[in-house]
Each structure stands twice: as structure tokens, then as C-alpha cells.
Amino acid sequence: MTAPRRPAAARRGRDRRARMLPPRPGAARIDGARPPTTAVVGGGIAGLAAATALAERGVTVTLYERQPALGGRLSGRPVDLRDGSTVTMSRGFHAFFRQYYNLRGLLRRTDPRLERLTALPDYPLRHSAGLHDSFRRVPRTPPWSALGFVALSPTFGLRDLIRMNPVAALPLLDVSVPDVYTRLDAVSAHDFLRSIRFPAAAHHLAFEVFSRSFFADPRELSAAEMALMFHIYFLGSSEGLLFDVPDEPFPTALWDPLAGYLLRHRVEVRTSTSVESVAPTRDGGFAVATPEETGRHDTVVLALDAAGLRSLVGRSPTLADTPWRERMARLRNAPPFLVSRLWLDRPVARDRPGFLGTSGYGTLDNVSVLERWEGEAARWSARTGGSVVELHAYALPKDAARDVEQKRLLEQLGRVYPETRAATVVDERHEWRADCPLFPVGGYHDRPTVRTPEPGLVVAGDLVRTGLPVALMERAATSGFLAANALLERWGVRGQTLWTVPDGGRSAVLRRVARWGSA
């Protein structure tokens, strides 16, 4: 049986200045009767990207995932509600921005036209003081995107603009990787914005909302990560800040089709299988131990979150060298976060947006009305006359009381959408997690790179230093493809072509001004 034809590589969107990164030249596929073997440890976005690129080129791949389902932090599981409905519970809303070229390339394997993603019409923000912001009418082409946001936002008044410190903001005009970390990793996002003297309302309504999407308080987050975000969405890309979302729960829309694709490429997918240790073997391979058995593989991809990577390396005392292992031991997790999903007996008002970013409502960071875009929620809503509402709270205190925080989110929902105060909660599910990576002040050089001191061992995930202007889910997908490419180079095989937003400011004049300011 012939393996399915490999699809075209990821491609740019509307931005004609998007950067293409071709792989090293090589053969199209593995030649020989015995193809090399790779263990991919972790079935999230990074692991799925690595497994896909390797399997498409003839590598024998075994994918190990500790949980019963693929998708990592975008996985889902069936739950039975009290009304008899079976629905999918996940860890919540994720925005698929148009700048996510490589993640979209992965999804195109099973959805070439991305028809399972649907565009939301706006990215609205709301502060408890009554201020509202929106990105629907903001121009998408830099620098008009940033200027348009300032002009249209009610948080920027003339007096605010006069008192801002433009010199302090100059690093935002020319963000490149890794230079931005050299300049700003020693500063917190909070202190950097304070040095620019952004209006307090803009600080809270816009930039704090964005920085908290890294699941961290701005006082703990590296300013370099926030500046990179600003570059990706405002001054470095003309894709804009609007985004898409899956039209069905993550397993149905994304991962079940991709699992089928991997199976057709003869990937052995082993869910509900934890890897206990990884050890180099005398013949240059690796022994991968699970509770059931120990198998030998030629190469290994560690596609784990910060806690998983730290733990597995700690259980694998012969892996790599001591300095690398010590760096892995210093990786930190972001504070815990809460996702509350509520099935209500009556609808949220029709004019409410499908997604709303919030500030000033206690720990509530955003609200999603899922039936606005998700088919499963829409069918439940049509059948019952109710609404499916999801609430997020990022960067909670480590000692936060779960029942108290869940109650607070429901109370804040009543402030944001008052009509929900009269609703009865038909059922509810809550996800408490603390497994996102923290990008702390000064922590950049402790983060792993794709390549390691151990030949044949590579690392992927959204915590990885890629040397490219990517973040969040796109960093996970990009690092997964980079990990696959690094292994394919060993065998003389051409890897995956990648795309990113431009690395550096788009205007030569602005780049010179930024460098003058840095000097």
C-alpha cells in the first residue's frame, strides 16, 4: 500500500512580507529497507507536528501520550450532564490567529481549506469602568495597525499621549529574535509598560489582557515575551488581531482527523501510556521505558510541558549532560488557572459577542458564549433553549480555594452579562490546571533549545527557544517541525518548510530610530 502523498508546506496568509524558512536540501523520503525509528513523547501540538513531519518522510514513529486523548492542552473528553446530554469538556477557548502559519499548515493535512475553522467577527475588550475596545475596525497593516488602535481606543486621550515616553517605546519598533531577549528579558512586562507611561486604562484593558494570555501576571512575565507579542500582532505582521476558532470541539474538529492521518502513515499512536524514563543505549539509540515495557528507538522527541519535561529528565539520570539537566530542573510553571464551563437554562442576550476579553472583573479574564460558533454547544442550546458559557481566570494564587474562585467567576459573569443572574445552572464543569510554561524575568537562557547535547535527542513545545518570532500555539507547532527537521537532517532528508512573521521591524526608518533609541 502506498503512503498518502505529502501535502504542500505551510504557507503565509495575506502578509506578503511573511518570512519563508526552507529546510536544508535532501532526499524527499527515507531510503532503505529498515527506516529509522523515533519515539515522540507527548501528543500535544508540538508532538503531533513532529510525528507528522517524520512519518510523512518514511520514519517509523511511535507516539506516546500519557492522557487518553491527543491534543495536549487542547484535548477534550466526553462528559455526561445531569440532563442526560453527552458533551465534550476541554480546557477552554483558544484563538487561532492568522499569523499561526505552521499550526495552520499542520491542520491543513486533514482540512486543506481550513473549513473546520470559523472566523469570529471581532476581538472585543471590556473594562469594569465602562471602557470598551475592539479590533474589528483597526487597520491590519503596520504601522497603521498600532496607530489605528491608539486613534480608535477610548483609553488614549490627548493628555495621555502627551505624557507618554516615546523613547522608552522604541524597542517595539524593531523586534527580532534573539535580540529582543538580550535587550528586554531582564525587565518585567509591567515595568516596561510603566516606563513608556501607557495610560493606566490602556495598560489594564489591552496589554494586561494580552500578557495574561501567557498565564502569568505581568509583574512576573519577561518584557521580551510581551514585546514579541506586540511585534507578532501589531508592528511585525499585517494579519491583524482577528482570529478563527474550531467549529466543533477540539477532538472532532482537529485531533481525531489528524490521528487518522497519522495512522494512515503507519504511526503507532499509544495514548494512556506514560513514559517513565529515557536512557541512551550503547549502540547510539535510546531505551524508552513505559510501565508495560522498554522499547528501543533510534531517536527521541521530547514534546512535553515544563512540568513533564522537568519530571522525565529527573527520572532519566543518564540523559544528556549535567548542565543541560540542571537547566531543565530550573524550568518553572505558570500560576494555576481555572476554566469554568456552565450550561445555563436560558440564553445569553443575542447581542453578546462570542468572545469577550475582560479587565477589572476580579479574576475573570474572558467570557465565551460557545453556541455562537461551536456546533455541539449550538445543538445543545437549540434543544434546550439555554446557553453554554465558558469563563477563564488566569494566574490565580497558588493557594486559591477552588470553590471560592468558581463562585467568584459566576458572580463576575453576572456583572458582565446581567441577564445571566436569573439563569439556573443546569450543569457545570471546572478545569484547574498549572502546567503552562512560565517565561519569567531573566529566564530565557534556561529554556531548552530544539537541539540538545545528546545526538538524536530533540525537544519541542511552547517553552522551547526556537530563534524565531513565534509564540503560544504557533511556537509549539513550529518547534515540533524544527525538531523533526533536525532529525531528518541526520538521514539526509529534506524537512518541512516553515513560515513566520518578519523578524525585525518592517520599516527601515523605524528600525534606525529604534537602534538609535537603544544606543
Side-chain angles (χ1 to χ4, degrees), residues 154-165 197-200:
T155 61
F156 286 90
L158 179 60
R159 187 174 299 176
D160 296 316
L161 294 174
I162 291 173
R163 67 179 298 274
M164 286 176 64
N165 180 359
R197 296 199 291 268
F198 268 104

Side-chain angles (χ1 to χ4, degrees), residues 83-102:
D83 69 353
S85 305
T86 298
V87 297
T88 306
M89 181 59 188
S90 71
R91 295 171 47 157
F93 169 88
H94 281 73
F96 289 68
F97 287 95
R98 315 282 163 78
Q99 292 91 335
Y100 290 178
Y101 303 127
N102 301 313

Side-chain angles (χ1 to χ4, degrees), residues 180-181 184-185 189 214 221-230 232 439-440 444 447 462 470-472 475:
V180 67
Y181 293 97
L184 294 177
D185 194 48
F214 286 91
L221 178 69
S222 164
E225 286 292 330
M226 195 209 66
L228 181 61
M229 175 275 299
F230 193 91
I232 292 170
F439 304 118
Y444 178 69
R447 289 158 56 183
D462 59 355
V470 290
L472 302 172
R475 184 181 285 152

Side-chain angles (χ1 to χ4, degrees), residues 59-72:
V59 179
T60 299
V61 177
T62 303
L63 177 62
Y64 297 92
E65 168 53 48
R66 181 170 59 90
Q67 298 297 329
L70 298 175

Side-chain angles (χ1 to χ4, degrees), residues 98-116:
R98 315 282 163 78
Q99 292 91 335
Y100 290 178
Y101 303 127
N102 301 313
L103 175 58
R104 287 168 174 259
L106 176 64
L107 300 181
R108 280 194 172 96
R109 263 59 175 195
T110 62
D111 186 11
R113 299 178 64 181
L114 298 181
E115 294 173 325
R116 293 195 289 267

